[in-house]
Amino acid sequence: MDYTVKAAMLRSSQTIKAAPVPASVTPKKTSGTLRKSKSSDSVTSPRPSHEHLASDFPKPQTASRFLGAAMRSSISLARLSSDDESSAPRTAARHSRGISLDMPRSSSKGHLGLGAKSESTGAKAESKWAKDMSPSRYANILTSTSSVELDIEAVKKLRLLLRNESASWTESFLQLGGYSAVLTRLNELLEVEWREEQHDDQLLHELLRCFKALSTSEIGCAALRSACPAPFAQLVRLLFSDKKPGDVATRQLIAELLLIIFDLYPPSALPSVSSSSPIRQRRREVWDECSDDEQYPANVNHKLISLPPPHRSLFSFLRTLLLTKAPPPAEIPATPVSPHEFIESLHIPRIYKTYLQELSDVCRDYFWVFCHPSNTIWVLDETDEKRVERPRAPGGMTGGVEFEAMGYLTTHFRLLNGIAKSTADLNLPKDNELSAHRFHSDLFASGIERIILVARKASTTYYPTLHLEIARYVSLAAQARFELPWTLSRTIGAPPAGMAKSSRIAKDRERNRNSASTMSSRGQRSSPATPSRDRVGAVGVPKIPTPKKIEPIRF
């Protein structure tokens, strides 16, 4: 068909009247609405003035109007390509729709009147969040759900709330029996014969983190003291059993919880009260609500901290934890093996052997870390402790299993140092069972010497805090008038230059200069020292041996 005939046919259906605009449908002009063009014509095409449409433009209601716009657009394109379009009035008539207007978006909340609804929705969301994060919800979850069915994500949220929420939230949680419920779930996990790695071990890890989160507030520390020695005695028994967690991070949490005992019972803590005292018969916790019917002695100060019975000192309580008897292994022999009487009479008691076996297992399982036999045990007086303990940027050796194992070993040495300080504060004579000298004697009799000799071979660059804790322990043993074995004392030396005090570095450099000048005065030729690599710990600079002259073989 000829395009002129087709254009004539389309021209006959050109006139399409717009729908009348009702007065109540007039939308408000907003600057943030979407601009939508209704024509595909060029921007430079002539457009007539449409003043009556500038303010009140009808909202498209049916699809026929868009169809008419598309037909008129095709007519304009057809007429532009024809040869007989030369008159300006016809062009103006053909391009009577080439305008762009602001079209309101139907999804806008302002036009739909959803302001009040959004406020009510926000209030409902806030009330729902408050209900989900309420202390009663988590107390009910822990009370009514067994450890086998307990959700790990719920325990994770509980740990975050205990750590980040206010003390009033923790107090409400404790008043609803939350701490006793956490202890119940922990005991259920520890009584399981074989824990599942995917659920039980992860739940145990999160429960331990909940105990640690309680120690961040005063009311949480009061809860940890309320049931003491639980859960510390149960955790030490788990560490000594063959069902101990395989994950090093979980075992480190147990060691860190034992370190929290020093914060729970400061040096000002009072000895335990006898069970016959009326104060001990009715103990009022910090989170207990006051009642008018209940009467307590007026001279009782509930803010005073007393040690768990029957201990009179903190070292006595910690010593009892370390001497916890290990549970029998799963594959126990039918007939118990007992030594002969003459062997029993020659036996030396090694009371801390069970505890030190855990440290020995770490040295055995990660043997490849201890590959620096030339390392020394640092002299504590020459070590800059602040420089060693300052925060460091993560290096290439952080985050691996070796790094976790050395952190775990460091935590145990820190625990031993805390116990050694607590027994040194007692100032008891050497013959006393709770004296510092007796404590170190029992440790060396149980085999801590071999553990120290192996642990000192770890890298001083990546694990400086481990070497610092070893140096602190050796210093505490020397202060207790304990004579160190020769195999241990011969490895004591100066720390590296980066960990030493500035005064010692200056003395060593002066000594090196004096030794170099003495050698030059005797006529000996000294090798030049590199300024950037000055060996601080050595006397003089070592000489490079002269290579031997090799004679060729003659036949």
Side-chain angles (χ1 to χ4, degrees):
M1 181 184 298
D2 192 11
Y3 68 90
T4 56
V5 180
K6 184 177 181 180
M9 293 176 60
L10 293 174
R11 195 181 302 117
S12 61
S13 59
Q14 175 182 353
T15 307
I16 301 178
K17 295 182 180 180
V21 183
S24 60
V25 192
T26 305
K28 296 181 180 180
K29 294 181 63 176
T30 56
S31 59
T33 53
L34 181 65
R35 293 184 59 84
K36 187 173 183 180
S37 178
K38 293 194 61 177
S39 176
S40 60
D41 293 358
S42 174
V43 181
T44 59
S45 59
R47 298 179 177 89
S49 60
H50 293 271
E51 299 178 356
H52 62 282
L53 295 177
S55 59
D56 298 330
F57 191 83
K59 185 177 179 180
Q61 299 175 357
T62 57
S64 61
R65 298 189 59 193
F66 291 101
L67 180 59
M71 293 173 64
R72 288 193 292 270
S73 177
S74 61
I75 295 170
S76 300
L77 292 176
R79 292 187 178 181
L80 283 174
S81 61
S82 60
D83 297 331
D84 57 339
E85 48 183 6
S86 58
S87 59
R90 293 180 60 186
T91 307
R94 286 195 302 269
H95 297 280
S96 60
R97 300 162 294 94
I99 58 175
S100 297
L101 298 175
D102 289 336
M103 296 293 297
R105 287 180 291 181
S106 59
S107 60
S108 176
K109 292 183 180 180
H111 299 300
L112 296 179
L114 297 178
K117 183 181 290 187
S118 61
E119 294 179 0
S120 61
T121 306
K124 289 181 179 178
E126 186 177 356
S127 61
K128 183 180 179 181
W129 179 88
K131 184 178 179 181
D132 293 342
M133 298 299 150
S134 62
S136 58
R137 177 177 180 269
Y138 288 93
N140 293 333
I141 290 175
L142 291 173
T143 307
S144 60
T145 311
S146 64
S147 59
V148 183
E149 302 174 354
L150 189 59
D151 187 15
I152 300 177
E153 295 298 327
V155 184
K156 287 183 180 179
K157 292 179 181 178
L158 173 63
R159 184 253 306 171
L160 293 175
L161 292 171
L162 291 173
R163 187 177 182 85
N164 301 326
E165 286 293 330
S166 60
S168 60
W169 195 98
T170 306
E171 184 177 2
S172 302
F173 176 75
L174 297 176
Q175 289 176 355
L176 296 170
Y179 183 67
S180 59
V182 173
L183 287 176
T184 304
R185 300 288 83 82
L186 178 65
N187 292 332
E188 287 180 0
L189 275 179
L190 299 183
E191 291 174 359
V192 174
E193 185 175 2
W194 298 108
R195 296 188 306 272
E196 294 182 1
E197 184 178 357
Q198 298 298 329
H199 179 268
D200 297 344
D201 284 351
Q202 294 182 13
L203 183 60
L204 174 63
H205 186 84
E206 293 301 328
L207 286 176
L208 295 179
R209 296 182 75 181
C210 289
F211 285 110
K212 189 177 178 181
L214 283 171
S215 65
T216 57
S217 62
E218 185 178 356
I219 189 70
C221 292
L224 291 173
R225 285 190 293 264
S226 63
C228 199
F232 306 105
Q234 290 89 335
L235 295 178
V236 172
R237 192 177 298 110
L238 172 66
L239 201 62
F240 294 167
S241 66
D242 54 355
K243 297 191 298 183
K244 64 182 178 181
D247 191 10
V248 179
T250 306
R251 284 184 280 169
Q252 184 169 355
L253 278 175
I254 298 177
E256 290 175 355
L257 286 175
L258 295 178
L259 278 173
I260 290 175
I261 297 178
F262 295 100
D263 299 330
L264 298 179
Y265 300 99
S268 60
L270 301 177
S272 62
V273 187
S274 60
S275 59
S276 60
S277 174
I279 302 176
R280 196 65 195 170
Q281 292 176 0
R282 175 64 178 90
R283 176 176 177 175
R284 180 191 174 193
E285 303 299 345
V286 182
W287 59 85
D288 286 345
E289 297 180 354
C290 282
S291 177
D292 298 336
D293 301 335
E294 296 175 343
Q295 296 181 357
Y296 299 98
N299 58 349
V300 176
N301 188 0
H302 299 288
K303 292 185 178 180
L304 294 178
I305 299 174
S306 59
L307 293 168
H311 306 288
R312 309 285 298 176
S313 63
L314 180 59
F315 172 68
S316 173
F317 173 50
L318 293 170
R319 183 174 180 268
T320 305
L321 289 179
L322 295 186
L323 296 181
T324 302
K325 188 177 180 181
E331 299 178 357
I332 188 172
T335 353
V337 180
S338 58
H340 295 282
E341 294 182 359
F342 70 93
I343 297 179
E344 190 70 24
S345 62
L346 297 175
H347 176 70
I348 300 177
R350 297 177 173 86
I351 58 177
Y352 296 112
K353 185 177 180 181
T354 305
Y355 170 71
L356 293 180
Q357 185 63 37
E358 176 66 18
L359 279 68
S360 180
D361 292 344
V362 175
C363 298
R364 178 201 62 195
D365 296 339
Y366 301 91
F367 63 91
W368 62 88
V369 181
F370 312 102
C371 56
H372 303 275
S374 60
N375 288 348
T376 60
I377 298 175
W378 298 350
V379 179
L380 189 62
D381 295 336
E382 300 179 0
T383 306
D384 192 351
E385 301 183 28
K386 293 183 179 179
R387 185 182 300 180
V388 176
E389 292 181 328
R390 67 183 179 184
R392 302 173 59 195
M397 294 295 292
T398 58
V401 290
E402 299 90 353
F403 192 81
E404 290 183 353
M406 294 304 102
Y408 178 55
L409 192 60
T410 305
T411 307
H412 274 290
F413 272 103
R414 190 176 293 116
L415 175 63
L416 289 176
N417 292 336
I419 298 175
K421 290 179 182 178
S422 64
T423 182
D425 294 339
L426 299 177
N427 294 324
L428 298 175
K430 295 172 58 176
D431 299 336
N432 195 296
E433 186 180 6
L434 301 180
S435 65
H437 186 275
R438 184 67 175 272
F439 172 67
H440 294 288
S441 301
D442 292 337
L443 280 176
F444 275 90
S446 302
I448 196 175
E449 174 189 354
R450 180 172 57 88
I451 296 174
I452 293 176
L453 289 175
V454 174
R456 71 173 177 88
K457 299 179 183 179
S459 173
T460 57
T461 305
Y462 296 110
Y463 316 113
T465 52
L466 174 61
H467 290 270
L468 178 60
E469 297 300 333
I470 293 175
R472 286 172 175 171
Y473 175 76
V474 173
S475 176
L476 289 171
Q479 292 176 10
R481 308 282 182 116
F482 178 77
E483 185 179 357
L484 298 174
W486 180 81
T487 55
L488 193 65
S489 59
R490 71 184 182 90
T491 59
I492 297 177
M499 308 298 174
K501 294 181 179 179
S502 57
S503 59
R504 191 191 70 83
I505 296 175
K507 290 179 181 179
D508 289 344
R509 287 180 178 175
E510 186 66 24
R511 184 180 60 184
N512 291 337
R513 293 192 192 98
N514 295 337
S515 61
S517 60
T518 304
M519 294 174 63
S520 60
S521 62
R522 292 179 181 177
Q524 299 178 0
R525 183 180 178 183
S526 60
S527 58
T530 306
S532 60
R533 295 186 180 181
D534 188 10
R535 297 183 178 232
V536 180
V539 180
V541 181
K543 297 181 180 180
I544 301 176
T546 306
K548 297 181 179 180
K549 185 179 180 180
I550 301 176
E551 297 291 338
I553 300 176
R554 298 179 181 180
F555 296 97

